[in-house]
PDB file of all heavy atoms in Angstrom:
ATOM      1  N   ALA A 202     224.464 168.232 107.854  1.00  0.00           N
ATOM      2  CA  ALA A 202     223.760 168.781 106.727  1.00  0.00           C
ATOM      3  C   ALA A 202     222.333 168.725 106.745  1.00  0.00           C
ATOM      4  O   ALA A 202     221.560 169.524 106.444  1.00  0.00           O
ATOM      5  CB  ALA A 202     224.349 168.351 105.410  1.00  0.00           C
ATOM      6  N   ALA A 203     221.909 167.442 107.131  1.00  0.00           N
ATOM      7  CA  ALA A 203     220.452 167.168 107.311  1.00  0.00           C
ATOM      8  C   ALA A 203     219.871 168.115 108.408  1.00  0.00           C
ATOM      9  O   ALA A 203     218.673 168.649 108.223  1.00  0.00           O
ATOM     10  CB  ALA A 203     220.275 165.731 107.627  1.00  0.00           C
ATOM     11  N   ARG A 204     220.454 168.101 109.463  1.00  0.00           N
ATOM     12  CA  ARG A 204     219.927 169.061 110.584  1.00  0.00           C
ATOM     13  C   ARG A 204     219.956 170.479 110.194  1.00  0.00           C
ATOM     14  O   ARG A 204     218.973 171.161 110.649  1.00  0.00           O
ATOM     15  CB  ARG A 204     220.761 168.764 111.934  1.00  0.00           C
ATOM     16  CG  ARG A 204     220.473 167.490 112.554  1.00  0.00           C
ATOM     17  CD  ARG A 204     221.566 166.843 113.341  1.00  0.00           C
ATOM     18  NE  ARG A 204     221.202 165.648 113.911  1.00  0.00           N
ATOM     19  CZ  ARG A 204     221.135 164.427 113.286  1.00  0.00           C
ATOM     20  NH1 ARG A 204     221.585 164.399 112.010  1.00  0.00           N
ATOM     21  NH2 ARG A 204     220.767 163.332 113.900  1.00  0.00           N
ATOM     22  N   LYS A 205     220.896 170.973 109.624  1.00  0.00           N
ATOM     23  CA  LYS A 205     220.901 172.376 109.027  1.00  0.00           C
ATOM     24  C   LYS A 205     219.750 172.693 108.092  1.00  0.00           C
ATOM     25  O   LYS A 205     219.058 173.617 108.227  1.00  0.00           O
ATOM     26  CB  LYS A 205     222.323 172.574 108.326  1.00  0.00           C
ATOM     27  CG  LYS A 205     222.358 174.112 107.808  1.00  0.00           C
ATOM     28  CD  LYS A 205     223.717 174.264 107.130  1.00  0.00           C
ATOM     29  CE  LYS A 205     223.858 175.704 106.614  1.00  0.00           C
ATOM     30  NZ  LYS A 205     225.194 175.934 105.988  1.00  0.00           N
ATOM     31  N   GLU A 206     219.612 171.670 107.193  1.00  0.00           N
ATOM     32  CA  GLU A 206     218.442 171.798 106.171  1.00  0.00           C
ATOM     33  C   GLU A 206     217.061 171.730 106.973  1.00  0.00           C
ATOM     34  O   GLU A 206     216.220 172.514 106.658  1.00  0.00           O
ATOM     35  CB  GLU A 206     218.457 170.692 105.191  1.00  0.00           C
ATOM     36  CG  GLU A 206     217.352 170.682 104.125  1.00  0.00           C
ATOM     37  CD  GLU A 206     217.337 171.927 103.207  1.00  0.00           C
ATOM     38  OE1 GLU A 206     218.225 172.757 103.344  1.00  0.00           O
ATOM     39  OE2 GLU A 206     216.467 171.988 102.360  1.00  0.00           O
ATOM     40  N   LYS A 207     216.885 170.848 107.939  1.00  0.00           N
ATOM     41  CA  LYS A 207     215.709 170.888 108.618  1.00  0.00           C
ATOM     42  C   LYS A 207     215.411 172.016 109.495  1.00  0.00           C
ATOM     43  O   LYS A 207     214.252 172.671 109.443  1.00  0.00           O
ATOM     44  CB  LYS A 207     215.727 169.666 109.726  1.00  0.00           C
ATOM     45  CG  LYS A 207     214.512 169.510 110.485  1.00  0.00           C
ATOM     46  CD  LYS A 207     214.583 168.414 111.518  1.00  0.00           C
ATOM     47  CE  LYS A 207     213.241 168.421 112.237  1.00  0.00           C
ATOM     48  NZ  LYS A 207     213.260 167.299 113.411  1.00  0.00           N
ATOM     49  N   ASP A 208     216.493 172.673 110.145  1.00  0.00           N
ATOM     50  CA  ASP A 208     216.302 173.837 110.829  1.00  0.00           C
ATOM     51  C   ASP A 208     215.927 175.060 109.938  1.00  0.00           C
ATOM     52  O   ASP A 208     214.937 175.840 110.186  1.00  0.00           O
ATOM     53  CB  ASP A 208     217.635 174.305 111.539  1.00  0.00           C
ATOM     54  CG  ASP A 208     217.947 173.362 112.632  1.00  0.00           C
ATOM     55  OD1 ASP A 208     216.923 172.642 113.199  1.00  0.00           O
ATOM     56  OD2 ASP A 208     219.115 173.316 113.128  1.00  0.00           O
ATOM     57  N   ARG A 209     216.516 175.095 108.690  1.00  0.00           N
ATOM     58  CA  ARG A 209     216.178 176.171 107.785  1.00  0.00           C
ATOM     59  C   ARG A 209     214.744 176.145 107.330  1.00  0.00           C
ATOM     60  O   ARG A 209     214.031 177.089 107.169  1.00  0.00           O
ATOM     61  CB  ARG A 209     217.024 176.002 106.560  1.00  0.00           C
ATOM     62  CG  ARG A 209     216.658 176.882 105.243  1.00  0.00           C
ATOM     63  CD  ARG A 209     217.459 176.427 104.040  1.00  0.00           C
ATOM     64  NE  ARG A 209     216.734 176.622 102.859  1.00  0.00           N
ATOM     65  CZ  ARG A 209     216.316 177.744 102.297  1.00  0.00           C
ATOM     66  NH1 ARG A 209     216.715 178.851 102.911  1.00  0.00           N
ATOM     67  NH2 ARG A 209     215.623 177.774 101.261  1.00  0.00           N
ATOM     68  N   LEU A 210     214.263 174.797 106.980  1.00  0.00           N
ATOM     69  CA  LEU A 210     212.864 174.580 106.495  1.00  0.00           C
ATOM     70  C   LEU A 210     211.899 174.663 107.559  1.00  0.00           C
ATOM     71  O   LEU A 210     210.800 175.226 107.346  1.00  0.00           O
ATOM     72  CB  LEU A 210     212.782 173.197 105.995  1.00  0.00           C
ATOM     73  CG  LEU A 210     213.528 173.014 104.636  1.00  0.00           C
ATOM     74  CD1 LEU A 210     213.682 171.561 104.267  1.00  0.00           C
ATOM     75  CD2 LEU A 210     212.885 173.836 103.361  1.00  0.00           C
ATOM     76  N   THR A 211     212.282 174.473 108.785  1.00  0.00           N
ATOM     77  CA  THR A 211     211.356 174.678 109.917  1.00  0.00           C
ATOM     78  C   THR A 211     211.018 176.073 110.153  1.00  0.00           C
ATOM     79  O   THR A 211     209.977 176.523 110.339  1.00  0.00           O
ATOM     80  CB  THR A 211     212.041 174.128 111.219  1.00  0.00           C
ATOM     81  OG1 THR A 211     212.155 172.656 111.116  1.00  0.00           O
ATOM     82  CG2 THR A 211     211.105 174.388 112.476  1.00  0.00           C
ATOM     83  N   GLN A 212     212.103 176.917 110.036  1.00  0.00           N
ATOM     84  CA  GLN A 212     211.876 178.314 110.119  1.00  0.00           C
ATOM     85  C   GLN A 212     211.026 178.891 108.897  1.00  0.00           C
ATOM     86  O   GLN A 212     210.191 179.759 109.167  1.00  0.00           O
ATOM     87  CB  GLN A 212     213.278 179.104 110.093  1.00  0.00           C
ATOM     88  CG  GLN A 212     214.100 178.880 111.338  1.00  0.00           C
ATOM     89  CD  GLN A 212     215.337 179.737 111.406  1.00  0.00           C
ATOM     90  OE1 GLN A 212     215.890 180.091 110.326  1.00  0.00           O
ATOM     91  NE2 GLN A 212     215.875 179.830 112.513  1.00  0.00           N
ATOM     92  N   LEU A 213     211.378 178.487 107.762  1.00  0.00           N
ATOM     93  CA  LEU A 213     210.680 178.935 106.593  1.00  0.00           C
ATOM     94  C   LEU A 213     209.160 178.641 106.672  1.00  0.00           C
ATOM     95  O   LEU A 213     208.295 179.370 106.169  1.00  0.00           O
ATOM     96  CB  LEU A 213     211.217 178.323 105.262  1.00  0.00           C
ATOM     97  CG  LEU A 213     212.578 178.901 104.596  1.00  0.00           C
ATOM     98  CD1 LEU A 213     213.015 178.108 103.532  1.00  0.00           C
ATOM     99  CD2 LEU A 213     212.227 180.376 104.202  1.00  0.00           C
ATOM    100  N   THR A 214     208.830 177.288 107.124  1.00  0.00           N
ATOM    101  CA  THR A 214     207.412 176.934 107.185  1.00  0.00           C
ATOM    102  C   THR A 214     206.679 177.370 108.499  1.00  0.00           C
ATOM    103  O   THR A 214     205.502 177.257 108.551  1.00  0.00           O
ATOM    104  CB  THR A 214     207.379 175.437 107.132  1.00  0.00           C
ATOM    105  OG1 THR A 214     208.121 174.894 108.070  1.00  0.00           O
ATOM    106  CG2 THR A 214     207.867 174.907 105.717  1.00  0.00           C
TER     107      THR A 214
END
Side-chain angles (χ1 to χ4, degrees):
R204 284 155 180 78
K205 181 179 178 181
E206 177 66 2
K207 180 185 177 182
D208 290 345
R209 165 189 150 75
L210 292 165
T211 298
Q212 289 183 342
L213 279 173
T214 59

